[in-house]
Each structure stands twice: as structure tokens, then as C-alpha cells.
Amino acid sequence: MERNVLVEKRVLVFVCIALFVWAALASGISGAYYIQFNVYQKEYQSLLSTVNSITAIIEHLTNISDSLGNSTEQVNEMLESMSLKVDILVKSNETSLKWHNSTYLPLGSTAFTGLMAIANITYESYGEMGLLVTSVDGLRNTDTAGWFWWRYNCTSFEWTLPPYSSDKDILHRGDVLAWTYEDYATWPPPPPS
Amino acid sequence: MKALKTALISILIAVCIGIQLTPRFANVEFTSFIVFIIGVLFGSYVGCFSGILVMFVNGFLSPWGYAGINLPFQMVGMSVAGLIGGLYRRYLPASNYRRFCFEVSVLGALIAFTYDLVTNFGFAVQLTYGFPSSILLLMILVSGALFSLVHVVSNVIIFGALSFPLMKACEEFSLNGEKRLG
């Protein structure tokens, strides 16, 4: 008696072989991808931790920068409380004119020490009358010309020629001074311009 | 008849070695296919011998370099192709082209898979100079899975598409040879 068989045994054997190869290969490939996944995950974690540490360093640097900014302001305030800021003009001739703006000087400075702070000078002492500047940056007084010092009057908006020595003039915050090299022939000498 | 048989086997092995030594795309090979056909045409012994011989020559002259410790594993792996061909010879389907193509494709996949399994084991032995640990073996098998996929797929295509034409050509060679030799 012939049996009714849906699928031949031979076909089943080959299908089983095909399925076995497919299953083994698929397992291998999934294993390979799992290993790759782990490798990339580790790399991602390492990258993430690097990014986090860089972010933390940036935050830390920002904090340091902020605190430094505050400290700078505090230092400036302290410096300003201990010093004064003046503007000084040095004019050798009509063409050589140099402004020394925002020059910090210690409290109690005079017009003389102010000039001393910004230029190489020589001077002579006249006792009670005070000190006379004899040269500024190598340009010396002669029989016909010499150095004069000026103070700017902020109320009348004009230069005045003080009738006393520069070392007698105590400076205040915001003072504006000028040192000019002028001919003695004209009196009073022309103010700085 | 013996001379014809020897000539045909020699030609197939020569073609096999020639293709095997030609630089080609990795893991796409015709050796297992030709060895399998030799097995189908001339039996398991001849098939196994052909596989061993081809891989022995290939082990020294391969464009990928000397096989080293992996050589015996390659020889064993390829002899499996001849063995399976010889076994299949006993159960060849009677005049059913589609079934034949399907079956040789499946056998091609099995041969490629077995060959990769054996040679990967050989690679693990080469790495450890001894019996590899199961973890290392598993790692090597898994890391070679994508290459195996290429090998299996290419074998399925080659076996399915070329087995019948090659067997037909060999058959005609034998028939013509017999006629000429009388």
C-alpha cells in the first residue's frame, strides 16, 4: 500500500541542511554584530566621558575666568584707591607731541614726579624755590629755550602756567599737565595746543 | 577509458589550481565547486585526493602567502568537498534539473560552511600554537562570520549555476573521447 507523503524525505534532508547552514551563519553574524556593537558602545562611552570631562574643564575655566574678572575689577579698584590717574603731554616742538594718558601715579605725586615717571629727565635744585627740570628725554635747556610746565584748568578750559616749581604741585585724580619746550624770546610762552 | 578518466581529472585539477592561484575577490572560489564535481563524477576517494592535492599546492603558491600551520586544515576542509561530492553521487536525482540545482546549491553552502569552520579552527591553532580555548575559537568563528557569508552565498550561486553545465561538459568529453579512442 502506497503512503501519501506531502514532502519527500530527500527534499526535507536538503531543506534541513540549508536551514542548519543558515542558522549557524546567522548566529555567527549576529555574534559578529554583537561584538561590533560592544566595541562601538565602549568607544561611544569613552568618547562621551571625554566630552563630559572637556565640558567640566570648560566650566571650571569659565568659573576661573569669572573669578579672575571679579578679581581684576577689585584690583583695579584697589589700585585706584591707592593711586591717581593723570594725563601728561610732552611737547618738544610743534611736530613732536606725545600724550601719556591715564598714567597711574602714587598718591601724593607732584607734577615733577609725574614727569619723572614717563620720561628721562635731569634737574637742578634751587633750595626753597624748588627743582628746575633741565632736560627731558635728552633735550636740554639752553640760553634761548627751555622747558615749561602747564596745568589745564577744567573750569575755564585753558592752560595755565603755574608760578611755582613743579615739585611743589601736588597732583589730584584727573589732572591734566603739559611740558613744553619753548623759546624765551616770547613771554608768556604760547600754551600747548 | 582509464586514460580518459585520468586526463579529465588532470584537466579539472589543473583548472582548479589555476583559478585558485589567480588573484581574485576574497572568499569567492571555484576550487570547492570543481573538487565537488570531481567527487560526483569519480567518487569520494578521487574527490578527497583532488581537494587535498589542490590545497597542498595552493598552500605554497597562493597569492595570499604561505598557509603555514593552517595548510593541513585547508587540505582537510577541501577534501570534505570531494567527500560530499562522492556521497552525493550515490543519490543523484534522476533527470530533474531544478531539483539537482537546488540540491547542489545547498551542498555548496554546506561545503563552504564546513571549509570555513575547519580552516578557522586551523587559524585558531596557528594563533595559539596548540589547542585553542573555546572562547578564542568562538571569537575567531564569530569574527569570520561575515567572510563566511560571502563564501556561502558565492558557493550557492556557483554550485547552482555551473554544476550542471560542467557535468554535461565532462560527460561529452568522455563520450567524444570514447568515440575517438574506439
Side-chain angles (χ1 to χ4, degrees):
Chain A
M1 193 176 137
E2 198 177 306
R3 284 176 63 193
N4 280 333
V5 183
L6 282 175
V7 184
E8 266 185 65
K9 190 180 170 186
R10 185 190 175 93
V11 175
L12 269 178
V13 168
F14 278 92
V15 167
C16 284
I17 293 171
L19 282 175
F20 165 73
V21 173
W22 171 76
L25 257 184
S27 307
I29 289 166
S30 56
Y33 276 115
Y34 178 71
I35 289 171
Q36 269 191 335
F37 167 75
N38 277 332
V39 168
Y40 288 133
Q41 199 178 32
K42 273 183 189 170
E43 281 180 13
Y44 172 75
Q45 292 294 345
S46 139
L47 196 67
L48 198 67
S49 65
T50 309
V51 168
N52 284 339
S53 59
I54 287 172
T55 311
I57 289 168
I58 288 170
E59 271 179 23
H60 187 62
L61 284 175
T62 311
N63 291 339
I64 290 172
S65 167
D66 288 348
S67 60
L68 272 177
N70 292 336
S71 304
T72 310
E73 280 172 17
Q74 286 169 358
V75 168
N76 281 342
E77 278 174 19
M78 199 169 71
L79 274 175
E80 278 178 14
S81 69
M82 290 164 62
S83 62
L84 52 90
K85 198 164 64 174
V86 295
D87 297 332
I88 304 171
L89 168 69
V90 178
K91 185 183 171 188
S92 311
N93 54 49
E94 286 305 318
T95 53
S96 176
L97 192 140
K98 194 173 179 184
W99 274 102
H100 297 267
N101 292 328
S102 302
T103 303
Y104 279 96
L105 297 169
L107 286 176
S109 294
T110 62
F112 175 76
T113 54
L115 179 67
M116 203 180 231
I118 57 163
N120 290 322
I121 62 165
T122 57
Y123 58 92
E124 286 174 12
S125 174
Y126 286 87
E128 286 294 310
M129 289 176 72
L131 302 171
L132 175 72
V133 173
T134 52
S135 78
V136 176
D137 287 336
L139 184 60
R140 299 188 64 81
N141 292 350
T142 62
D143 292 339
T144 55
W147 286 98
F148 295 90
W149 77 278
W150 302 80
R151 165 178 278 286
Y152 190 72
N153 191 324
C154 292
T155 49
S156 60
F157 302 111
E158 57 184 22
W159 291 98
T160 55
L161 194 64
Y164 45 85
S165 170
S166 60
D167 68 309
K168 305 283 183 191
D169 185 81
I170 306 294
L171 294 176
H172 300 93
R173 289 195 179 96
D175 277 354
V176 182
L177 306 174
W179 289 83
T180 60
Y181 190 78
E182 297 292 348
D183 205 300
Y184 298 139
T186 50
W187 193 265
S193 53
Chain B
M1 184 61 193
K2 229 175 185 180
L4 265 177
K5 202 175 162 183
T6 312
L8 189 57
I9 293 167
S10 304
I11 290 167
L12 287 173
I13 290 175
V15 169
C16 197
I17 292 173
I19 296 173
Q20 183 68 21
L21 298 183
T22 308
R24 64 208 140 73
F25 192 73
N27 275 22
V28 177
E29 48 88 21
F30 290 84
T31 307
S32 57
F33 161 65
I34 296 173
V35 169
F36 171 78
I37 294 298
I38 293 173
V40 172
L41 292 174
F42 306 107
S44 296
Y45 289 117
V46 181
C48 284
F49 171 75
S50 306
I52 288 168
L53 180 66
V54 170
M55 291 320 287
F56 181 74
V57 175
N58 175 71
F60 292 97
L61 302 177
S62 168
W64 303 102
Y66 175 58
I69 296 174
N70 208 5
L71 177 60
F73 293 94
Q74 289 179 341
M75 287 158 69
V76 170
M78 200 49 78
S79 70
V80 171
L83 179 72
I84 290 175
L87 290 174
Y88 184 61
R89 170 192 167 89
R90 296 179 193 174
Y91 307 102
L92 272 174
S95 63
N96 191 334
Y97 174 73
R98 285 174 69 183
R99 175 173 286 185
F100 174 75
C101 287
F102 165 71
E103 287 177 1
V104 290
S105 294
V106 171
L107 291 177
L110 182 68
I111 287 165
F113 178 74
T114 313
Y115 178 80
D116 288 344
L117 207 66
V118 174
T119 49
N120 279 338
F121 181 77
F123 181 64
V125 170
Q126 197 170 12
L127 277 182
T128 53
Y129 286 100
F131 198 83
S133 65
S134 52
I135 293 289
L136 176 72
L137 191 61
L138 195 68
M139 289 292 285
I140 288 172
L141 289 176
V142 162
S143 55
L146 283 170
F147 295 102
S148 284
L149 179 70
V150 175
H151 194 188
V152 167
V153 170
S154 66
N155 256 26
V156 165
I157 294 166
I158 291 167
F159 275 65
L162 300 180
S163 289
F164 191 75
L166 184 62
M167 282 179 70
K168 202 80 184 159
C170 291
E171 198 181 325
E172 278 183 21
F173 176 85
S174 301
L175 286 173
N176 288 338
E178 274 177 33
K179 276 179 193 169
R180 283 185 189 178
L181 291 172

